[in-house]
Amino acid sequence: MKSMSILAGLMLAILPCRTWAQGYVPAPDNLEAREEFAGDKFGIFLHWGIYSMFAQGEWYLNRDGLKHEEYSKAASGFYPAGFNAEEWVSAIKASGARYICFTTRHHDGFSMFHTKQSPYNIVDATPFGRDVLKELADECHKQGIRLHLYYSHLDWGREDYPQGRTGNGTGRDPSKADWNSYYNFMNAQLTELLTNYGKIGSIWFDGFWDHDSDPVPFDWQLEEQYRLIHSLQPACLVANNHHTTPFEGEDFQIFERDLPGENKAGLSGQDISALPLETCETMNGMWGYKVADQDYKSVPELVRLLVGAAGKGANLLMNIGPQPDGRLPAAALERLKGIGQWLDKYGDTIYGTTAGDIPEQPWGVTTRKGDRLFVHVLDGKTREVFLPVGTKVKSAVDFSTGAKVQFDNCRHGVHVTLPPYDGVSPDRVVELAL
């Protein structure tokens, strides 16, 4: 029996992680939340922590070989006097975003909420002494913006976290690793997040990849953790930025820096699942605030990215790195305003749509809502498009003006003559009635 137990243990160790939670059946509230999430189409990611004080991005502790003991002293000087949850949420709501994803604890281990599990948090370790997550959650609930919570699976500071392939120069003693201690710590924090801050749209995990090079597959015990989340808030969606096809127990699929089906950044080669989809992308180059990174994407570029995501049936989660003083950068606010102005006019072609009948083309994409097919032409040089739709088109109009657009049904689809390009608009939209 002893030898059989050892063999069984070895076999469990090498089973793919995605088989851990076979049989997950989402609650009706969860299925409804998935549908709402898929229709939201646009969210804002907020990467904020004490790393913003160094103004070198969110990986500063790992990238620059710092010792965690010294790095953590920054908490004693963290006083974001400019933080105003109402201003944050109001600006994000005006951009047309339907939800916010906030970093509750990033890889540096500092908790941006009042946790009883460690004094290393924004209330107990800083002179600021305010629970910014509570203020943000209250304002989101007040203004009708859904709140999602980012949570790191790894920690470059806690010695009980078993070291992976990152954060190994921060001064931790690897002999003190204690997975049970760390796992219990995480679950206690997740319980706080899902108990003390009202309705939460999703838990957005990151860091699974830290152990993807282990000689023996690392058991993150996701099945139990996902079950805990769904037991506390059945409608709360679970997602994990592990760069692979979703595991059982997850409710939507994440793509990092790429639209589904693309892999330009080398992080999104996984198959596309039947779950709701989300692409996360930076507004400039970094996730966390970096003072030298002023290479912000223009409003037209961001609009095209949003349209491209919608054309693939995905949400766009666009990131902003708040400044150390707690304010959103002026460049980001300017772009939020521009996206909001575009969505005020064209939001009906984005919100609540599915990927259109026609796959992505060199000229653009399509989105669909019932019998309405929206043709998004992102290439200003295109004058005519052929759409191999399987049904006749009854009418075609320029979405921005309502003017009729010339079209010709043929045996294999429809030819559409596009309205003139004004040389400015990032997207020409023609609405077809099928």
Side-chain angles (χ1 to χ4, degrees):
M1 291 298 294
K2 183 176 180 181
S3 61
M4 287 294 290
S5 298
I6 294 173
L7 178 60
L10 289 172
M11 290 183 69
L12 285 172
I14 62 174
L15 283 174
C17 298
R18 67 194 63 193
T19 66
W20 290 344
Q22 292 289 340
Y24 167 58
V25 179
D29 288 351
N30 187 281
L31 295 175
E32 182 179 347
R34 291 185 188 187
E35 187 175 351
E36 292 173 348
F37 172 76
D40 284 345
K41 285 296 182 285
F42 184 36
I44 295 296
F45 216 170
L46 295 170
H47 271 72
W48 194 39
I50 59 172
Y51 46 79
S52 67
M53 298 175 66
F54 301 98
Q56 297 299 317
E58 76 291 348
W59 274 56
Y60 182 58
L61 170 60
N62 173 78
R63 189 183 61 248
D64 286 63
L66 305 179
K67 300 304 179 186
H68 185 266
E69 183 178 355
E70 292 299 314
Y71 173 90
S72 64
K73 294 176 182 178
S76 64
F78 190 43
Y79 197 90
F83 170 72
N84 185 307
E86 181 181 6
E87 291 180 358
W88 275 24
V89 177
S90 295
I92 290 169
K93 185 175 183 178
S95 77
R98 297 287 179 86
Y99 62 99
I100 291 170
C101 187
F102 180 76
T103 47
T104 62
R105 188 175 71 96
H106 207 267
H107 310 326
D108 65 351
F110 184 75
S111 295
M112 291 292 286
F113 66 102
H114 195 201
T115 175
K116 294 180 180 179
Q117 311 312 315
S118 167
Y120 192 45
N121 68 76
I122 192 167
V123 174
D124 297 322
T126 78
F128 193 58
R130 287 162 49 187
D131 189 341
V132 296
L133 178 59
K134 183 67 168 62
E135 295 177 30
L136 180 62
D138 289 347
E139 195 60 38
C140 282
H141 300 323
K142 178 181 177 181
Q143 294 199 37
I145 295 292
R146 290 186 244 276
L147 179 62
H148 297 208
L149 301 179
Y150 170 108
Y151 190 85
S152 174
H153 263 136
L154 67 90
D155 193 308
W156 293 328
R158 289 183 63 96
E159 291 192 314
D160 56 356
Y161 170 68
Q163 292 189 4
R165 62 177 171 86
T166 67
N168 294 325
T170 63
R172 292 176 296 150
D173 183 351
S175 70
K176 294 183 179 180
D178 184 341
W179 169 247
N180 287 334
S181 169
Y182 183 69
Y183 186 67
N184 290 334
F185 159 76
M186 287 195 297
N187 287 342
Q189 282 206 320
L190 289 167
T191 299
E192 290 176 328
L193 292 171
L194 292 167
T195 303
N196 301 333
Y197 297 94
K199 184 177 180 179
I200 300 302
S202 82
I203 298 295
W204 203 103
F205 285 116
D206 194 17
F208 179 96
W209 35 261
D210 194 44
H211 281 279
D212 61 10
S213 299
D214 289 11
V216 176
F218 189 80
D219 184 2
W220 289 95
Q221 294 179 257
L222 296 181
E223 178 180 4
E224 297 90 338
Q225 197 165 69
Y226 292 175
R227 187 182 299 120
L228 170 67
I229 294 168
H230 290 137
S231 69
L232 292 168
Q233 292 198 26
C236 181
L237 306 179
V238 172
N240 198 323
N241 188 34
H242 43 51
H243 306 148
T244 62
T245 303
F247 305 155
E248 289 282 345
E250 295 171 8
D251 302 304
F252 67 90
Q253 183 176 7
I254 298 169
F255 295 84
E256 182 175 350
R257 291 188 182 272
D258 275 306
L259 298 178
E262 298 178 356
N263 194 22
K264 299 174 183 176
L267 300 172
S268 299
Q270 68 268 38
D271 292 337
I272 301 172
S273 73
L275 295 175
L277 310 175
E278 179 188 73
T279 285
C280 59
E281 180 58 277
T282 55
M283 190 175 283
N284 47 359
M286 300 292 290
W287 300 100
Y289 179 71
K290 184 176 181 180
V291 67
D293 183 9
Q294 297 300 312
D295 188 20
Y296 282 79
K297 298 174 180 66
S298 67
V299 171
E301 286 177 304
L302 294 172
V303 166
R304 293 187 186 104
L305 190 56
L306 173 61
V307 171
K312 290 176 174 287
N315 291 10
L316 176 64
L317 181 62
M318 177 54 58
N319 181 75
I320 298 172
Q323 298 170 169
D325 65 359
R327 293 183 172 88
L328 301 181
L333 290 171
E334 179 185 350
R335 283 152 179 81
L336 289 179
K337 182 178 179 181
I339 297 171
Q341 291 171 342
W342 188 86
L343 280 169
D344 281 344
K345 188 172 185 178
Y346 293 98
D348 194 34
T349 73
I350 301 294
Y351 300 125
T353 63
T354 59
D357 302 49
I358 315 303
E360 182 182 22
Q361 301 294 315
W363 47 259
V365 299
T366 60
T367 58
R368 182 161 180 168
K369 186 181 292 182
D371 290 335
R372 304 164 71 196
L373 183 67
F374 303 106
V375 183
H376 296 265
V377 182
L378 306 176
D379 176 23
K381 297 179 181 178
T382 301
R383 296 291 176 261
E384 182 180 276
V385 297
F386 171 72
L387 306 169
V389 293
T391 183
K392 286 188 176 182
V393 172
K394 295 190 293 185
S395 66
V397 297
D398 182 337
F399 187 85
S400 65
T401 66
K404 292 183 178 180
V405 171
Q406 181 181 338
F407 69 96
D408 296 293
N409 284 304
C410 62
R411 182 178 178 183
H412 299 292
V414 60
H415 287 276
V416 179
T417 301
L418 299 173
Y421 179 50
D422 61 12
V424 177
S425 302
D427 179 20
R428 283 177 291 168
V429 184
V430 174
E431 179 181 343
L432 305 181
L434 303 181

